[in-house]
Amino acid sequence: FERITLSGSLAGGNVPVRSGKPLRVDVTIRSDQPKVVESMMVMLSDPSGNQLLKADTVALDQPVELAEGENTLTVNIHSIPLRPDVYT
């Protein structure tokens, strides 16, 4: 992974991530050759390591096709079910 960005808006941008609101995760991956990855997961955890949210492409039965070079994968979650707070 080269870069991961989080946004509290499905359109992206510098928007705080909040409970009950959308979450957009952009992951930039560099691949040395074309390949198919069976599973890509976005997982959020608290500072103690407790898992709060997990979204995996396996659940959607959608492998990820990577081209040689830089690839960007975007995961949109329409509402994150967390305790009311602002997450960074």
Side-chain angles (χ1 to χ4, degrees):
F1 299 106
E2 292 199 344
R3 182 175 53 254
I4 299 174
T5 57
L6 302 175
S7 177
S9 167
L10 296 182
N14 189 18
V15 178
V17 176
R18 299 178 185 275
S19 177
K21 300 294 183 184
L23 171 65
R24 176 180 170 141
V25 181
D26 292 311
V27 181
T28 303
I29 304 164
R30 182 163 299 281
S31 180
D32 59 350
Q33 62 185 354
K35 61 182 79 171
V36 175
V37 179
E38 296 298 324
S39 175
M40 293 288 288
M41 181 187 330
V42 171
M43 186 173 77
L44 299 178
S45 57
D46 66 17
S48 299
N50 297 310
Q51 182 179 308
L52 304 174
L53 174 78
K54 181 171 80 171
D56 193 335
T57 59
V58 166
L60 302 173
D61 195 28
Q62 286 187 288
V64 177
E65 295 184 27
L66 299 176
E68 182 176 348
E70 186 174 285
N71 299 265
T72 300
L73 172 68
T74 299
V75 177
N76 289 316
I77 299 171
H78 292 276
S79 178
I80 53 173
L82 303 174
R83 288 187 209 169
D85 206 343
V86 175
Y87 295 82
T88 57

